[in-house]
Amino acid sequence: SIQIFTGRGCPFHCNFCVYPQVMHGHLFRKRSAENVVGEFQYIAENFPDVHEVVIEDDTFTADKKRVLEICRLLVERKINKRLRWLCNARVNLDYETMKSMRKAGCRLIIPGFETGSQTILNNIQKGTKVEQFLPYVKNAQKAGLLVHACFMVGNMGETKATMQETLELALKLNTDTA
């Protein structure tokens, strides 16, 4: 595999995340779809041992229109037949985009669920709702994508009860890996 960045920065304000706070900032600066697919093409043509691209953006899916354009170009140029890819993807990602990503060669998405407690999600300023998580996983599975779920404990306000909520959520979601 080979890692690439297609953008830097994250428009979200989760208070635990070091990358936007220290390294890349909150302004989401992104390469064009054409530029990203050009790099995929370069990898496919010049690195025959590489079979997978890891998109290391803080949140690759922050701009849905750009994601769909990247997917369209990957399919149009048949790069999806040569390279698989994976990316970080927030839990607001919709089913139609997931289907396009799968068709374009994506095999795995990595959401930061973080916790099973809405109170903790609010404390860490995640900007997501626990009730988004199960439909997200179901949609990913329906689209044929694997899900690597990210959870953490020890956040502001964490208790044994909220840690138990997270464990119960992780088991309920039944993702491919966590």
Side-chain angles (χ1 to χ4, degrees):
S1 70
I2 194 167
Q3 292 183 335
I4 66 169
F5 281 93
T6 75
R8 291 212 173 110
C10 180
F12 306 102
H13 294 275
C14 312
N15 64 16
F16 61 85
C17 190
V18 70
Y19 294 106
Q21 293 174 12
V22 177
M23 297 176 68
H24 302 145
H26 289 287
L27 179 65
F28 186 44
R29 301 163 319 278
K30 54 202 178 238
R31 294 165 48 199
S32 70
E34 184 71 39
N35 182 275
V36 171
V37 174
E39 185 169 6
F40 266 79
Q41 192 161 356
Y42 179 83
I43 291 165
E45 291 170 359
N46 293 285
F47 299 97
D49 292 335
V50 171
H51 300 285
E52 183 168 72
V53 174
V54 179
I55 298 175
E56 255 321 309
D57 301 13
D58 293 330
T59 308
F60 174 69
T61 59
D63 181 343
K64 176 182 171 176
K65 182 180 172 189
R66 177 175 162 265
V67 170
L68 291 173
E69 180 65 7
I70 289 169
C71 291
R72 185 187 70 74
L73 290 170
L74 287 170
V75 171
E76 185 179 282
R77 295 183 189 177
K78 297 182 175 40
I79 298 169
N80 60 327
K81 305 294 184 197
R82 168 68 178 89
L83 289 172
R84 297 286 171 238
W85 54 280
L86 60 98
C87 66
N88 297 307
R90 273 181 72 91
V91 299
N92 63 345
L93 189 62
D94 63 282
Y95 174 66
E96 292 304 318
T97 304
M98 289 179 182
K99 281 192 337 187
S100 292
M101 290 168 61
R102 178 67 181 136
K103 183 178 177 185
C106 184
R107 69 169 193 89
L108 170 75
I109 53 177
I110 307 169
F113 296 116
E114 319 312 0
T115 178
S117 165
Q118 188 61 53
T119 299
I120 300 300
L121 284 172
N122 295 344
N123 288 352
I124 63 176
Q125 300 171 22
K126 183 69 181 178
T128 58
K129 303 281 185 201
V130 172
E131 54 266 14
Q132 293 175 284
F133 300 166
L134 191 57
Y136 176 90
V137 172
K138 297 265 186 234
N139 283 338
Q141 291 167 339
K142 193 164 99 174
L145 294 169
L146 299 172
V147 177
H148 175 78
C150 295
F151 300 97
M152 59 183 173
V153 295
N155 289 296
M156 185 182 348
E158 196 80 71
T159 65
K160 285 183 180 180
T162 60
M163 287 188 278
Q164 185 64 38
E165 285 180 81
T166 299
L167 176 59
E168 289 170 10
L169 173 73
L171 295 170
K172 181 179 177 181
L173 292 179
N174 193 29
T175 57
D176 299 285
T177 55

